[in-house]
Structure formats: C-alpha cells, structure tokens
Amino acid sequence: VSEQMLEQVLRELQPLCTAEQHFIEKFFQLSHGAADLQGLEVMGWPLTSSGLLSSSNHQWWQQLEDATTRLMSEIFSCLEAELKGFLELCSGVHPFSCLQVLVTLSDSIFEMWGSSPALPSSFLNTVLGNMLLLAKSSFNKCIGTLCREIEEAKMPSKMKGGILPSVSRFEEFVNFSEEVFRTARRRGELDKAHLRLASSVFSSINSLSSANLKMNTDMVMMENFHHVHCFLCQKKIHCLEGKKREAKQRYSEHMEKYVTKYLGQPLEKLNHFFEGVKARVAQGVKEEEVSFQLAYSKQELRKVIEKYPGKEVKRALETLYRKIHKYLSEEENLLPVVWHAMEQQLMRQYREFEELIQRCYAGSGITMDFTTEDLLSYFNSITLSN
C-alpha cells in the first residue's frame, strides 16, 4: 500500500511541477532560447546585456537554470521537507520498506528523465535526486544493521542443530528483496547488499568453530553451508555465483571432517594401531621390520583384530547410524548423503589396512574377520531396515 501511495504522489507531482516550471520560464522569459534578460533582471540579478553575451553558452544556460530553480524553490519551499517526511513514513511500515521506497523512487526518476528530455535539470528532478540519496542512505543503514544482526546472532541455548537463525534471516531478506526488485530497472544497490549479507552469513557460520556448542560443530556447519548452497542454486542470483561455489566447497569440507571424525568410532582401535604403523614407517623403520616393534608385533595385531568380529562391526555401524539420524536435521535430508560418504570412507580405510598387513606382515596369514563384501552388506542392510 505504501509503495502505491508513493507512486501516486510522484505521478501527481510531475505534471504539476513541470507545468509550473514551463509557466515561470515563459512568463519571465527564462527559456533556454530567450534573447533578452528581462526575466533575470526581474529576479534582481544585476546582469548587463553585454556581460551575458560575452560569457560562454554554458554560463548563460547555468544562469537561466539557477533563476528558474530559485523561483521554483520559493514556490515549492516545503516540498522537499514534506517528501522527506513522507518517505520516512513509508520506510517505517515494514523493516525492509526502504527497499520498496528505493525502487519506486529510482524508477520514477528514470521514467521522468526519459519522458522529459527537455528538462534534464528540472526543479523536481533535483528534489527527487536529493530524495534518492536519502533513500540510498536509509537502505545502506538497513543493510548495515542486518549485517550486524546476522554476525552477532547467538545460537539458541536449546538448539541441537539444524538451520541457524542467521541463515534463515538471510533467506528472508533475499526472498523479500528479489520480489521487490523483480521489475526494477536497476539493481546495483541490491547486488552490493547481497554480497555484504552473504559475507556476514558465512562469517556467522564460521564463528561456530570457536563457540562452545554441545553438538558436533562440523555437522552444524555442514548442514548450514549445504542449506545456503541449495538456496543460492534455487535463486540463481548472478552476483552470488562466487558465494554459491564457496558454500558448496565449505559444505564438502565439513562433511569430510564430520565423516572422518565419526568413522574413527566403528574401527577405533584398528585405526589407532595402523596409524602407529604408518608413523613408524614414516620415521624410517623398514616395512618388513615393523612387526619386530613390540607395540606393533604380529601378536599385538591379532589382539586388535580379535576385538572386531564381523557381528561387532555391524552392531557398531547400527549404533552410529542411529546417532547420526538423531542429530542430523530432517529438513536438510543429508542422512543418505552422509551415510554413503561414511561407507566410501570406511571402504577406503579397510583397503588401507589390508595393504599395510600385506606390506608389513607379509606371510603371516593374518586377515581381518570381515571382508569388503561384508562391509557393503552391513551398510545395505542398515539402510534398508531404517
């Protein structure tokens, strides 16, 4: 409603001010083609005919415009103040109303310049130009405030995961602003605002890494960067293509960290043992001599392997699946993606263990109690049963 009122006010102002300006220029002979200076003399300007004629066309043009503006300013002395008050009233209707004011005012000025090429510096254009500067200032203040809100947003104390309030706030603004600017002739100001806000959202998500959270930080960051990426894919905003790619990269990074961290649990002691084996080799111990190290002997390896019969591995994976299912938010539906990533990571881990046994414990006949085929069947049965 407020934008319709603003459009109506601007539509009614244009013919009124244009007609008045034409009348002043004609009555006081202030048109750009006037030959005499009577109009300027009426205004009390001490100009002589010879003085004006000896000046450049630019100076003459400027003096005529200044005279017209002076008269118009006296006739419409309260117009700028009244318009300013009206714009403030419109901007107060909704937290983001300044966007609509900016679009309406900018489009009206653009249309006015197109429809009145003979009056590029009309009094009304000057007044509306000043109003546009105020509208841009109000818009920038709104964006600055929103950026601070997003960056300083605190995690709800009872929140266990899911989409952060700062991300939802960003989405709310983008959806609203894209609708407002849908038919706008120019969107440079909005593009700059989108980039500022996207940076603030990324900063807000990154700040979780230093927060004292009860939930898994990588999980929350993974979900939120994934959410931002999907949202930007849907909106297809050109200026945010770089942010969309960055969100995808960050989502992938935190999913890998999340998967790696949790994958240490199903085969934790095996993983720890073989990390030690790799460390000895890296320190210069020959692969065929690793088994002679007391802590990494064949006997110690058999002890560790005995702790992971196939049934126990499957049971550990079932427990892990339930834990992931409990904490991952349903709205993002990342459970299948994360579970598949875990399967791939565990398969790679298993193959690495096999290679290390073959290289460092060659001829020992030592094997793990389960195979890669067993692992695949564990993952498939858990997926199908849930």
Side-chain angles (χ1 to χ4, degrees), residues 124-192:
L124 183 59
N125 279 352
T126 302
V127 171
L128 293 185
N130 291 337
M131 293 302 102
L132 183 59
L133 290 176
L134 287 173
K136 287 182 178 180
S137 175
S138 177
F139 174 76
N140 288 331
K141 286 179 182 177
C142 172
I143 299 304
T145 300
L146 187 56
C147 284
R148 285 192 298 275
E149 287 179 6
I150 288 173
E151 290 172 13
E152 297 170 4
K154 303 295 183 183
M155 276 284 290
S157 57
K158 295 182 180 180
M159 188 172 181
K160 295 182 179 180
I163 305 310
L164 299 170
S166 57
V167 173
S168 300
R169 187 74 167 143
F170 171 71
E171 278 190 277
E172 178 191 355
F173 175 84
V174 171
N175 284 327
F176 180 86
S177 62
E178 284 298 313
E179 180 61 28
V180 170
F181 276 76
R182 184 169 47 86
T183 58
R185 296 174 183 269
R186 299 174 181 178
R187 54 174 292 143
E189 296 292 328
L190 181 63
D191 285 345
K192 287 187 284 187

Side-chain angles (χ1 to χ4, degrees), residues 116-349:
S116 304
L119 297 172
S121 299
S122 71
F123 168 75
L124 183 59
N125 279 352
T126 302
V127 171
L128 293 185
N130 291 337
M131 293 302 102
L132 183 59
L133 290 176
L134 287 173
K136 287 182 178 180
S137 175
S138 177
F139 174 76
N140 288 331
K141 286 179 182 177
C142 172
I143 299 304
T145 300
L146 187 56
C147 284
R148 285 192 298 275
E149 287 179 6
I150 288 173
E151 290 172 13
E152 297 170 4
K154 303 295 183 183
M155 276 284 290
S157 57
K158 295 182 180 180
M159 188 172 181
K160 295 182 179 180
I163 305 310
L164 299 170
S166 57
V167 173
S168 300
R169 187 74 167 143
F170 171 71
E171 278 190 277
E172 178 191 355
F173 175 84
V174 171
N175 284 327
F176 180 86
S177 62
E178 284 298 313
E179 180 61 28
V180 170
F181 276 76
R182 184 169 47 86
T183 58
R185 296 174 183 269
R186 299 174 181 178
R187 54 174 292 143
E189 296 292 328
L190 181 63
D191 285 345
K192 287 187 284 187
H194 277 163
L195 285 169
R196 285 180 64 189
L197 287 165
S199 295
S200 293
V201 168
F202 280 44
S203 175
S204 174
I205 300 174
N206 288 334
S207 67
L208 290 177
S209 60
S210 59
N212 185 21
L213 302 180
K214 294 180 180 179
M215 79 273 309
N216 185 285
T217 302
D218 285 313
M219 178 193 76
V220 181
M221 296 174 81
M222 169 189 72
E223 288 193 316
N224 279 273
F225 277 119
H226 176 264
H227 190 84
V228 171
H229 175 257
C230 292
F231 176 70
L232 294 180
C233 285
Q234 173 195 347
K235 301 309 291 187
K236 297 178 181 178
I237 301 172
H238 180 69
C239 70
L240 293 178
E241 283 296 310
K243 290 295 182 183
K244 183 179 76 175
R245 290 191 294 271
E246 184 181 348
K248 183 178 182 180
Q249 179 185 347
R250 299 301 306 280
Y251 146 66
S252 300
E253 287 174 1
H254 287 289
M255 183 171 72
E256 184 177 348
K257 289 180 181 178
Y258 179 61
V259 168
T260 301
K261 181 175 180 179
Y262 273 79
L263 273 180
Q265 294 177 1
L267 306 175
E268 185 173 3
K269 291 182 173 63
L270 267 175
N271 189 62
H272 181 72
F273 183 90
F274 285 111
E275 285 295 325
V277 170
K278 288 190 291 183
R280 292 297 182 277
V281 173
Q283 291 167 4
V285 177
K286 293 180 180 180
E287 290 181 345
E288 60 270 20
E289 294 178 0
V290 170
S291 62
F292 296 106
Q293 300 275 317
L294 185 61
Y296 301 101
S297 65
K298 297 173 185 177
Q299 184 179 357
E300 289 299 317
L301 175 58
R302 287 191 180 95
K303 285 181 182 179
V304 176
I305 288 177
E306 285 173 1
K307 294 177 181 179
Y308 291 97
K311 289 181 180 180
E312 288 299 321
V313 172
K314 183 180 180 182
R315 189 176 294 115
L317 288 174
E318 288 171 343
T319 302
L320 183 60
Y321 184 91
R322 286 193 296 270
K323 188 173 183 179
I324 298 168
H325 183 271
K326 179 180 178 181
Y327 289 108
L328 281 179
S329 61
E330 292 183 8
E331 56 188 313
E332 286 308 292
N333 193 32
L334 282 177
L335 179 59
V337 180
V338 171
W339 189 238
H340 179 69
M342 285 192 162
E343 178 186 315
Q344 297 300 308
Q345 180 74 0
L346 197 58
M347 294 295 288
R348 285 194 296 270
Q349 213 174 57

